[in-house]
């Protein structure tokens, strides 16, 4: 980025300060300064990624010579035993495949939600982006995403079959017909499908905040970055067999003195926070859509063009969440585990939706659609991390809190003048954090800290040391601390990496569409046609949408849309 | 309600009669008189509900002191044995959870069907109502709905774990990690999810007939009434372990001389009739939408605003019905039971759709969309009760009859000047009755009267006393009589309770939106915006929709919709 | 058809030739000549069908006297053993029912895709057609479709339970509560539901190419022909226990010298090629929609009226494909089989979508929605046949090729002036062939040629004679030859039978709607109303849609649509 900056000749320190204070009064320079600082910060943040990448390359080149690490953490050790005698469990395999299919079905939900919440003129872009993204993600997750995330390796990244460093997971190279994932009894190929669907969710969430002004080539590139690098690598930290947050608190592990590892049952942090924080980075780097006026400037959110599609999309997401959370037990043989997760998921969604709609009702005296939908989604995001370990009452409370938070989050973005058309950050970023932390408060001390048991051994360990117990249930601060550490690390790393990526895309002008293209509408500019060429679109709204002074262009665009070939 | 009536001074009987006959000529007084009579009737109908409620409160307060009732019916006795040694069956648990997810998915279908069938101006209201309703239902069913319905207790209502009066199901208080529901092998938490999805269907069905003129606060309140009281209590009568219809005909039970209990495999009565009869009560109490002219007055149904969304919704309902009926076996180990139910479900839907569309074709020479969709839904509703006990040929016939009935039902409502925008009563109320009765005709004598067997014991009992045999298969009138008794009792009680509830809401002006609000459109009035703010809406149709003399308002409303913030 | 032709008096050969060459210059006579030739060709093609039908009737009349044929092929012999001791496998039954439900869900996807891709004026027709078709198919598949296809019988058609000629499958007459399908452990009633959903897909695919100009009565009749005869009979050849392509290469079978039978794991040929080739026959017989100008004439495809609905439909199809392919193992106990199929399905969809969208991007510099959706569908169609036998890398390559083929196929139809509004032939017909042939190239030699194993015996037979090995993996030409033979026979027979059927319908004027009806729009003409009566439809686009010289009618139609009752 520094190549773009004209560096002046040598100056004294006083002169420099004087120039700085003078320039700081100029908005153009303020913007420049902010970008400069941000760039440096991001450069630092990228450093670990580069280290990881280098390590990875080295590891790949020498993977056959790797020996079993004596300091391998407990979880990986368990996996090794099982990997020697893999037994496929058909019942649990069906359960995981059912989950995979349901979570994949959420793509229809995300696409409907985002398409419905955007304006008519940018609908095709949303549709193409969501589908394209899915195609990219499926391929990358097979090529290396799954290996990076779920492979054994080191604390930062994975690449080989858990417990067997001689077998590579890159391009599923050494996956045989009987290869199961560790002790789960699930074939790796089935586990891949389940996890691809999760990765795809994270990747699709990002696009929600970037609707309406992103160049499609930018979409293509950042999709590759998110699906192929950001999600699987940061995900490895939490869910990889030897990720440093997964093994945190164990002897010789990260923060050994904490004595507690990071827990994220189905991905409030791994899927939703990562998705949400990439989204907000994108929205910040892009800036708002042309004509978007914020509340403090006398405007408000641009209107969704099809609430029917949006609400149905939300319901399909809820439907798919029954694959997301319950099937994350990876076992239907874990006593009532899957049922309990399903119940908690339902309750948090219900209270989230109700609390959000009532909060907005007390604010504006209207029963608001977006609040209701974002409310139950917020509840779902929040329960995703703690769903296995909390009681039903806990689920109700933490869902209700999420419903309030999502409204506050939307107001916050409005105040910060950040244009997030579908509320991706309030729903996934903010409530992902809340859900992750809430485990530290609400873990009820009834269920095993190790999570669900694929072999059917009862997971009833009330108030034993093996149970996970939060602050409100007498378990002290340990779980909450671990959750805070994990959430802060993952969210910060994600935001930093995403900002670096988007700034780089911006620097080479690949991120935002041209002004003329945006006035024409993304659909005409990038995809050559409108989603609804036969419907007459109101010039009134269209002109509002691109702000007063571009009213004529708006009207023009609508006629073009109607008559376009 | 009597507080609203100005009672005149004492009069002789002759004077009273003279005044009555005079007043009866005045429409205002006719309306008043009708309401008065209805009110008294409803008061009587409410009495049993109050008794039940009182009994419940007493029971709850003294639940710990309850002893095992010696006269406990057979089904509950079975459950007790099993409850002592609960064993979770993971295969059947997966089957039931799959069913729960599919039935939950029907919410997307209901919402699409109702949204598509309404007018543009009331779409947002439908969307918000359906989702809100789901949130309310999930919470109430957990709080006490499930306990009222499936708990052991008495003939009227339940509250404790079947077979163990010391363990309360209210707020799932005493549900442990190994608690299964009776002899099913299904964890109670999984059973709750399945049954919540059913309750939600019943609750959502109601809203279909009340589209376009209900105040949202009225929606909120009646949703609570239906989800929390009407559905679970009347449902307990049929499906509770000791409900008086479930144990009807047994020694010491209700109508012991009948020797036959009421059967409703997956809920033609419990879910659909209850939903449909609440719906019609709502439509009657609300009256038609402004500008709705009926056929005998030279009008006809108001046009659906989006048939694509409506038809897709219908298909998603059909898809979800494969969870509704087959998974109601609660067991995939019941030989071909689940497959047979799926086949019968399919055949009844097919013949229902075909017969309805051909009936309408012979009437108006057009291939009518609504007839086709309501036809297959009618077939699905009808087969829901008898799906386990009838042969494939029986399913074809009873589905075809349902397809004719639904058309006649819609004509009947049109004749009675009742405005049911989506046909909720013809589909769910009327065909729910038909399906329930049809079991008495078509039960083929091949399958156990006790229903499916979770333990895998063959259910092949052809023409044994344990088999359920209807009139057409040589089984005599017993089954038909039992079905009539059950259907009449549940439908009457539902209609009465719903009328009381809606009359009460009407009396305090919470049921119907203001006339001004209805002219603006429910979406603007209650929810502050239109579903499709960018589309230009035809003033031609809009003016038709709110009748000739309000044409200008219609046009105005459409412009408002287009330009609304 | 010959009755319609006026045969002239006797002429010399020279005179005849002179007349012929003269007439060939007249387009009217060219058309007549083509039809005459086509008719004769079709007559020949119909012959085997008639023979099969006669044989069937004879067989049905004498079914009880049939004895076990000593020359019964190997597969059927296996089935006989198992049929004597049928054991229902509940886990595999759940797996197949899950598949059935997911594949049924594809109806929602097909309906959305077709409805979204058509014009506003023909949307209702698409909706009604797709649902009607499903109802017809469910009934016919129960009545005789399943028996024709999956019943034992002869090489051409089936009618009795596999292995037991005394038990008829017609109307499921002799199906008992314990009847399983051969050695699968799946109850026949469950297998019927799964296969009905497949039949319904084939049937629905046809309608895609015939959108916008087919009389509804024609739809009704051809649906019966496809669902009841074409699909099940030609399907029996490939999937019936004794179909001549299923037993091809065995001793005494068809082409015994080939030593290899035809393979089609989940139906690239059986479902998709059959559907696609019926579709193209329909599109040819109908001719293009009024006003459709092709690229070489300065026009282009008519615009889809709702891309949102179309794309979501595509995603729902992808979702349903996870039932289509993985559940076609009929067993979840086949080691990693189901998971591998799911992975291959995903990868082919991903590469298909990406290659198609990039091909179009390099052609027109736009990121095209239809290309992306048809691309991933093409990948899915292609992988459907080989999904069990190819490696993940193979799946990626063959999916990518399908993505290119589908674009070329659409260009080819455009060049041939064939109007296929949703691309049914390029996606299902062409890529169905490619997928079928690709098995001959990519079968990796790792998996059993007999397909999946319901009993859980490992299917790991790398490079043994039992493994299926294609050309690229050192297996020689045998598989490719067998695939070519099967694909050519089925596609030719389908096209011929479909042309005969459509020509016959055309001859009695039941196929195409009247010109006046088409100008009014199919929805008004056949179904009495528009899908979106309140939306204002652009006269600009409408007039374009029915070509320049009918512009006024177009505008008129749009006003009628908006104001129609």
């Amino acid at each position: 980025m520094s190549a773009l900056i004209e560096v002046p000749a040598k100056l004294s320190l006083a002169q420099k300060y004087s120039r700085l204070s003078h320039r700081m009064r100029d908005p153009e320079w303020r913007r420049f300064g902010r970008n400069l600082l941000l760039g440096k910060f991001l450069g630092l943040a990228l450093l670990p990624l580069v280290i990881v990448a280098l390590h990875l390359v080295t590891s790949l080149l020498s993977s056959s010579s790797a020996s079993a690490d004596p300091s391998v953490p407990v979880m990986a050790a368990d996996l090794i035993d099982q990997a020697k005698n893999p037994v496929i469990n058909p019942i649990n395999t069906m359960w995981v495949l059912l989950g995979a299919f349901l979570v994949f079905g959420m793509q229809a939900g995300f696409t409907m939600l985002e398409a419905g919440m955007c304006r008519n003129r940018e609908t095709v872009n949303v549709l193409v982006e969501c589908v394209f993204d899915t195609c990219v993600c499926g391929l990358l997750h097979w090529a290396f995403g799954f290996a990076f995330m779920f492979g054994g390796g080191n604390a930062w990244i994975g690449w080989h079959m858990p417990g067997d460093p001689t077998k590579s997971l890159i391009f599923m190279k050494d996956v045989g017909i009987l290869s199961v994932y560790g002790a789960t009894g699930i074939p790796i190929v089935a586990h891949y499908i389940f996890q691809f669907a999760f990765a795809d969710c994270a990747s699709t969430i990002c696009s929600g905040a970037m609707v309406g002004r992103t160049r499609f080539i930018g979409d293509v590139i950042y999709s590759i970055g998110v699906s192929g690098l950001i999600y699987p690598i940061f995900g490895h930290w939490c869910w990889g067999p030897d990720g440093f947050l997964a093994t945190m608190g164990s002897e010789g592990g990260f923060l050994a003195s904490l004595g507690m590892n990071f827990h994220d049952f189905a991905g409030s942090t791994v899927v939703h926070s990562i998705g949400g924080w990439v989204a907000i980075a994108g929205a910040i780097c892009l800036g708002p859509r042309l004509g978007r006026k914020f509340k403090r400037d006398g405007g408000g959110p641009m209107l969704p063009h099809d609430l029917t599609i949006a609400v149905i999309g939300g319901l399909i997401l809820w439907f798919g969440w029954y694959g997301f959370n319950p099937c994350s037990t990876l076992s239907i043989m874990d006593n009532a585990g899957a049922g309990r997760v399903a119940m908690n998921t339902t309750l948090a969604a219900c209270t989230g939706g109700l609390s959000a709609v009532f909060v907005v009702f007390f604010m504006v005296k209207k029963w608001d659609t977006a609040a209701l939908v974002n409310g139950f989604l917020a509840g779902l995001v929040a329960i995703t991390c703690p769903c296995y370990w909390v009681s039903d009452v806990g689920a109700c409370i933490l869902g209700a809190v999420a419903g309030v938070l999502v409204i506050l989050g939307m107001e916050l973005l409005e105040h910060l003048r950040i244009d997030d058309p579908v509320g991706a950050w309030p729903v996934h970023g903010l409530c992902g954090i809340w859900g992750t932390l809430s485990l530290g408060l609400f873990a009820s001390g009834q269920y095993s800290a190790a999570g669900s048991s694929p072999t059917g051994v009862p997971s009833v360990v009330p108030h034993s040391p093996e149970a996970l117990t939060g602050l409100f249930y007498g378990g002290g601060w340990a779980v909450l601390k671990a959750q805070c550490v994990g959430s802060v690390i993952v969210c910060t790393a994600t935001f930093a990496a995403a900002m670096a990526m988007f700034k780089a895309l911006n620097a080479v002008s690949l991120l935002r569409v041209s002004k003329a293209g945006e006035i024409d509408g993304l659909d005409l500019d990038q995809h050559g046609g409108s989603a609804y060429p036969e419907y007459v679109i109101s010039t009134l709204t269209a002109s509002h949408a691109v702000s007063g002074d571009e009213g004529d262009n708006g009207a023009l665009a609508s006629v073009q849309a109607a008559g376009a070939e």
Side-chain angles (χ1 to χ4, degrees), chain A:
Chain A
M1 253 167 285
S2 59
L4 301 170
I5 303 162
E6 190 188 334
V7 184
K10 215 173 162 52
L11 292 169
S12 78
L13 202 72
Q15 279 173 312
K16 278 178 179 170
Y17 177 78
S18 154
R19 190 186 57 188
L20 180 69
S21 60
H22 180 258
R23 279 176 176 168
M24 278 300 109
R25 263 170 256 130
D26 174 11
E28 191 62 16
W29 273 101
R30 272 213 304 280
R31 200 180 52 77
F32 163 69
R34 204 180 58 224
N35 285 355
L36 187 69
L37 284 173
L38 205 52
K40 295 209 177 295
F41 167 71
L42 293 175
L44 284 171
L46 270 178
L47 213 59
L49 281 184
V50 172
I51 294 169
V52 166
L54 284 176
H55 188 275
L56 172 74
V57 170
T58 334
S59 305
L60 283 176
L61 294 175
S62 64
S63 67
S64 58
S65 66
S67 64
D69 185 355
S71 70
V72 69
V74 183
M75 197 186 297
D78 281 358
L79 292 176
I80 291 169
D81 280 354
Q82 182 64 23
K84 299 269 161 61
N85 296 295
V87 178
I88 292 177
N89 180 323
I91 305 181
N92 289 347
T93 301
M94 193 184 339
W95 180 239
V96 168
L97 284 175
L98 169 64
F101 305 163
L102 289 175
V103 179
F104 180 82
M106 292 172 77
Q107 283 307 309
F110 277 120
T111 308
M112 290 177 90
L113 184 70
E114 292 189 14
M117 296 298 276
C118 71
R119 292 171 301 165
N120 167 71
R121 50 179 29 235
E122 59 220 14
T123 307
V124 173
N125 182 253
V126 168
L127 300 170
V128 175
E129 211 286 320
C130 285
V131 176
F132 189 93
D133 193 41
T134 298
C135 294
V136 165
C137 183
L139 212 54
L140 293 185
H141 207 66
W142 162 76
F144 48 79
F146 183 83
F148 286 2
M149 188 152 176
F150 292 98
N154 56 33
W156 300 96
I157 198 166
W159 61 89
H160 63 69
M161 226 175 273
D164 188 349
T166 63
K167 293 194 172 160
S168 171
L169 284 173
I170 307 281
F171 288 97
M172 300 277 165
K173 196 159 68 81
D174 296 321
V175 174
I177 197 173
L178 291 173
S179 304
V180 299
Y181 188 72
T184 61
I186 312 297
I188 286 181
V189 287
H191 200 236
Y192 153 77
I193 286 288
F194 190 53
Q195 296 300 343
F196 144 64
F198 275 64
D200 199 15
C201 287
S203 177
T204 303
I205 289 165
C206 313
S207 64
M210 301 169 66
V211 159
R213 69 270 203 210
T214 312
R215 271 186 77 173
F216 194 76
I217 189 72
D219 275 333
V220 172
I221 296 170
Y222 88 73
S223 284
I224 293 172
V226 175
S227 294
L229 297 172
I230 292 179
Y231 176 78
I233 293 176
F234 300 163
H236 179 82
W237 301 355
C238 306
W239 283 352
D242 41 17
F244 73 91
L245 292 171
T247 61
M248 180 169 72
S250 64
E251 220 180 294
F254 178 61
L255 288 182
S257 62
L258 196 62
M260 176 63 66
N261 64 324
F262 177 63
H263 286 87
D264 187 5
F265 192 73
S268 288
T269 291
V270 175
V271 179
H272 296 284
S273 285
I274 288 182
W277 284 96
V278 172
I280 200 70
I284 291 171
C285 291
L286 280 164
R289 288 171 284 180
L290 283 184
R292 171 78 156 96
K293 278 173 92 175
F294 295 90
K295 278 189 190 168
R296 56 199 287 201
D297 308 318
M302 284 167 161
L303 294 179
H305 90 284
D306 192 331
L307 279 177
T308 304
I309 291 288
V311 172
I312 304 299
L315 281 172
I316 290 178
L317 284 175
W318 187 341
F319 169 65
W321 232 288
Y322 286 122
F324 210 97
N325 287 3
C327 298
S328 285
T329 59
L330 300 183
S331 167
I332 190 68
M333 300 172 79
D334 178 39
N335 297 300
R340 182 177 71 246
V341 169
M343 181 169 76
N344 286 343
T345 300
T346 304
L347 291 173
C350 293
T351 56
L354 293 177
S355 72
V357 84
F358 279 112
V359 164
V360 173
F361 182 76
F362 288 123
M363 284 159 57
V364 300
K365 303 295 165 209
K366 295 287 175 191
W367 304 92
D368 190 68
T369 324
L372 182 60
V373 174
N374 280 338
F376 76 69
L377 291 175
L380 289 165
V381 168
I383 195 65
T384 296
C385 162
C387 55
Y388 190 82
W389 294 287
V390 297
S391 73
D392 40 9
V393 175
C396 288
I397 298 170
L398 71 89
V401 173
V404 178
L405 276 179
V406 75
I407 303 300
L408 297 180
M410 292 200 288
E411 291 297 316
L412 178 66
L413 290 190
E414 197 69 22
H415 184 76
L416 295 175
R417 296 197 180 92
I418 297 171
D419 184 19
D420 178 355
V422 310
W425 181 80
V427 172
H428 301 280
L430 185 61
C431 291
I433 293 179
W434 161 242
T436 304
L437 302 187
S438 73
L439 178 66
L441 304 172
F442 291 99
S444 69
Q446 292 172 283
Y447 311 108
S448 167
S452 65
S453 153
T455 49
V457 178
S459 57
V460 193
V461 286
H463 302 292
S464 76
E466 288 79 35
L468 203 67
T469 315
L471 187 64
F472 295 169
Y473 290 75
W477 296 88
V479 183
L480 187 58
K481 278 184 201 162
Q483 298 302 100
C484 285
V485 169
S487 182
V488 167
I489 288 179
V490 173
C491 293
T492 311
T494 302
F495 186 69
M499 284 300 279
M501 180 176 71
F502 290 123
K503 285 284 168 192
L505 280 172
N506 230 351
V508 291
S509 297
L510 290 177
L511 191 57
R512 183 151 182 160
V513 76
S514 70
K515 197 175 170 187
E518 196 172 341
I519 289 170
D520 282 353
L522 231 61
D523 293 357
L524 293 178
D525 187 61
Q526 299 281 304
H527 307 284
S530 151
Y532 318 101
E534 296 185 47
Y535 293 167
V536 177
I537 303 301
S538 163
T539 52
L540 216 71
T541 317
S543 68
H544 161 79
V546 290
S547 89
D549 59 341
E550 280 137 2
D552 292 336
N553 289 315
L556 187 64
S558 104
V559 171
Q560 284 175 313
E565 180 77 34

